[in-house]
Amino acid sequence: MKLLILCVTLAVLRSSLGINPATEEEEWQEWKARYGKSYPTDEEDEDRRNVWLENYDYVTAHNARNDVTYKMELNKFADELSPAISYPDHEEVHEEIVVNDKSAPKAFDWRKKGVVGAVKNQGQIGYAEAFVAAECVESLHAIQAGELFDLSAQEVEACCREFLQLPIENDVFGCIHKIGGLCTVATYIPSSKCANASCLPVAQTQGTKYVPKNDEGALLEALLKVPVFVTVNASPQSFLLYKSGVYSDPQCTGRNLDHVLQLVGYGTDEEGNAYWICKNSWGLDWGMEGYVNIQRGVNRCGIAEAAKYPY
Ligand SMILES: *[C@@H]1O[C@H](CO)[C@@H](O)[C@H](O)[C@H]1NC(C)=O
């Protein structure tokens, strides 16, 4: 139903904006080549092309606006419509959250301390939770021991699977503690069952600390200790197609927490838009080299709904 409304909206947009038909074919072929896309049948090619066209108009209309704080692009997801679009019927009112950061620095970025690993690509159906849990242990260990390892998300997935399901009041770091810590990607031998005995764990954690719900001041305090595991709503189409800037789509509320990110820093742009710096697991070719800056102070995308970190 809501998906239908979106399609109708996009269809209306398309008729008013319209991509030049002469360049449409060329751009479609170029886009497919850039992202290595090919479809098994002409019919699917046609279907995907229609979705891509909707996204083309959506992105073009958005990027032409000068009252938005972020850009979108026709990235590798441009032939998809978000499977879980959950646009609210009317915009939810958010109370401004006062971030009590008088004593905190104006900006902070754990990447500059060398404690954040490379951006991963979880693939279409991977467990983002496993990646982010491994990344948070990686960062904790790097802060404590000065060595940054590439820890095995596959080990987290195989050994702590029941702790990865949303919602995220799950003690995944307690599970990692129970299995003796994590091994590196290079030494963990994937198997259908938990194979924690197949390798030597190199990074430990004692358990999970939970950040008080909907409290971005507390989230900031937690972040100053260690990068944080945050749960977000990543279902709006604008999130899939995010390119750069401060992501602030009002439709991105905390209603549908369906994805997780590693929160690694915060700042404020030249126009005064405050943001959180988050590492995604959709590859380097998404967003800002794999990162997204999410609007700070209004619980955008539910970023402060279910945050936690290892200690
Ligand atoms: C593997 O995990 C189990 C708990 O599932 C634990 O008792 C055991 O010590 C772990 N083995 C290693 C080598 O860490």
Side-chain angles (χ1 to χ4, degrees):
M1 168 64 180
K2 280 166 190 161
L3 184 63
L4 261 180
I5 292 168
L6 177 76
C7 292
V8 170
T9 311
L10 288 168
V12 170
L13 273 177
R14 189 198 310 191
S15 63
S16 59
L17 285 161
I19 174 171
N20 177 349
T23 59
E24 177 188 319
E25 173 65 20
E26 203 181 310
E27 294 215 27
W28 170 236
Q29 297 303 341
E30 260 177 36
W31 179 86
K32 285 197 294 184
R34 185 172 332 128
Y35 293 104
K37 302 269 184 173
S38 65
Y39 309 106
T41 61
D42 287 351
E43 202 181 14
E44 183 170 353
D45 191 282
E46 182 66 24
D47 288 348
R48 297 292 194 137
R49 182 177 180 147
N50 285 332
V51 170
W52 176 86
L53 267 174
E54 289 183 16
N55 282 323
Y56 188 101
D57 289 343
Y58 182 52
V59 168
T60 308
H62 173 87
N63 288 350
R65 290 171 60 175
N66 51 21
D67 61 342
V68 287
T69 59
Y70 65 102
K71 294 279 186 207
M72 292 197 262
E73 66 182 336
L74 290 165
N75 61 19
K76 60 188 170 185
F77 300 126
D79 60 352
E80 291 177 31
L81 282 178
S82 176
I85 288 171
S86 68
Y87 294 104
D89 297 323
H90 50 266
E91 191 178 320
E92 284 177 7
V93 179
H94 289 272
E95 280 181 36
E96 282 281 326
I97 292 164
V98 179
V99 177
N100 179 21
D101 57 358
K102 278 197 204 98
S103 60
K106 283 210 154 55
F108 188 80
D109 188 347
W110 279 114
R111 293 175 296 183
K112 294 183 180 156
K113 315 265 181 208
V115 300
V116 179
V119 168
K120 299 293 171 65
N121 193 348
Q122 65 178 91
Q124 288 294 84
I125 318 168
Y127 267 107
E129 293 82 2
F131 284 96
V132 177
E135 286 166 356
C136 286
V137 175
E138 220 163 85
S139 295
L140 175 70
H141 180 81
I143 291 166
Q144 292 176 338
E147 296 167 290
L148 180 63
F149 289 119
D150 186 11
L151 297 178
S152 176
Q154 273 180 308
E155 185 175 12
V156 180
E157 202 203 315
C159 301
C160 299
R161 191 173 290 136
E162 69 268 37
F163 296 95
L164 298 176
Q165 257 104 67
L166 297 163
I168 291 283
E169 266 94 39
N170 278 321
D171 185 14
V172 65
F173 300 115
C175 173
I176 291 170
H177 173 71
K178 284 202 191 91
I179 63 163
L182 292 179
C183 301
T184 61
V185 169
T187 61
Y188 181 76
I189 300 159
S191 120
S192 55
K193 313 196 295 281
C194 175
N196 66 327
S198 73
C199 54
L200 196 66
V202 293
Q204 321 290 338
T205 166
Q206 300 307 307
T208 309
K209 288 250 162 85
Y210 300 93
V211 180
K213 200 169 141 69
N214 296 337
D215 184 346
E216 286 181 275
L219 187 56
L220 192 146
E221 272 176 44
L223 174 63
L224 291 174
K225 293 184 194 127
V226 65
V228 178
F229 183 114
V230 292
T231 304
V232 294
N233 172 4
S235 59
Q237 193 70 12
S238 57
F239 192 92
L240 280 189
L241 301 177
Y242 168 83
K243 180 186 184 196
S244 61
V246 179
Y247 181 72
S248 61
D249 188 339
Q251 291 177 317
C252 199
T253 69
R255 265 204 195 173
N256 181 33
L257 302 173
D258 61 355
H259 191 46
V260 293
L261 303 168
Q262 189 189 25
L263 171 61
V264 301
Y266 63 89
T268 305
D269 74 7
E270 280 147 23
E271 278 84 46
N273 302 301
Y275 57 83
W276 298 109
I277 305 167
C278 298
K279 182 187 182 186
N280 201 350
S281 49
W282 290 348
L284 279 167
D285 58 355
W286 180 85
M288 296 185 291
E289 302 198 343
Y291 283 83
V292 51
N293 288 349
I294 296 178
Q295 185 180 20
R296 179 162 58 101
V298 293
N299 199 16
R300 178 63 57 224
C301 307
I303 193 165
E305 295 279 337
K308 62 188 176 187
Y309 56 97
Y311 67 97

